[in-house]
Amino acid sequence: MNMTLELGQTGSAVQLFLLISVLSLAPAILVLMTSFTRIVVVLSFVRNALGTQQLPPTQVIIGLSLFLTFFVMMPTFSELNTSALQPYLKSEITKEQALNNAEQPLRTFMFKQTREKDLELFVSLSQRERPQTYGDIPTYVLIPAFVISELKTAFQMGFAIFIPFMIIDMIVASTLMSMGMMMLPPMMISLPFKILLFILVDGWHLVVQSLVASFK
């Protein structure tokens, strides 16, 4: 009886440890296995391109990125809830089956956003045999390939965002130089024009629309 009780307590302690481990990895899972990386990088590019320093505040950018991530990932999260969480809560499947079922929707999402070139890179670095199907690629190979693909896409979008604001900076700097006002910082003059341009084209609407559409 005592032996059974001790084994039960040990099993509960192990389960608690595993639960804490999963919870500690939750931020990394949210950042690296969802759309969060691309969104937060692009929004940061917008702030830098405008040159408004700390406006919008970092907390606002992170918060908006989180809500956009939940919006983009909702179909994936719904599938995860249907195939893994709810069956496990109803004791219809085991923990191992629940984890496997939960992994599949995330893998499907990541494969859709990952370039084959990046997958090939990490497959070769892992020194594995060439996979025949996507199912042959382990998750630990898929995640870093997905992350660098997201970073490349985010930087491409950020570059496109920078171009019109860079043109404004160049025009203002050239105008000030031609007027002999070289001591006046061009940023001081160009900032209002960049903000005005961003407002006139409804910049936040365009940026968010482009971000969400980029995951389709």
Side-chain angles (χ1 to χ4, degrees), residues 39 47 52 56 87 95 116 159 163 177 182 190:
I39 293 172
R47 183 172 68 179
T52 52
K95 292 179 183 178
E116 290 189 6
F159 175 76
I163 290 177
M177 186 174 295
M182 292 178 290
S190 64

Side-chain angles (χ1 to χ4, degrees), residues 105-123:
L106 289 173
R107 282 173 56 88
T108 300
F109 171 80
M110 289 190 288
F111 274 123
K112 288 181 179 179
Q113 309 301 327
T114 306
R115 300 182 304 162
E116 290 189 6
K117 180 180 180 181
D118 296 325
L119 279 174
E120 291 176 359
L121 170 64
F122 283 96
V123 168

Side-chain angles (χ1 to χ4, degrees), residues 3-55:
M3 181 67 70
T4 303
L5 183 60
E6 290 178 1
L7 289 174
Q9 292 176 343
T10 302
S12 299
V14 171
Q15 291 177 358
L16 180 61
F17 174 75
L18 291 176
L19 177 60
I20 293 174
S21 300
V22 171
L23 291 176
S24 65
L25 292 174
I29 293 174
L30 177 63
V31 170
L32 298 180
M33 298 178 64
T34 65
S35 58
F36 181 83
T37 300
R38 183 189 306 184
I39 293 172
V40 75
V41 170
V42 170
L43 293 182
S44 298
F45 265 115
V46 171
R47 183 172 68 179
N48 291 334
L50 283 170
T52 52
Q53 302 300 321
Q54 296 301 316
L55 292 175

Side-chain angles (χ1 to χ4, degrees), residues 40-53 153-171 187 190 194 197-198 207:
V40 75
V41 170
V42 170
L43 293 182
S44 298
F45 265 115
V46 171
R47 183 172 68 179
N48 291 334
L50 283 170
T52 52
Q53 302 300 321
T153 303
F155 272 69
Q156 288 174 333
M157 296 180 70
F159 175 76
I161 290 170
F162 252 99
I163 290 177
F165 299 111
M166 182 178 64
I167 292 174
I168 292 177
D169 285 333
M170 293 173 61
I171 292 174
M187 183 64 68
S190 64
K194 290 192 288 186
L197 172 65
F198 197 69
V207 170

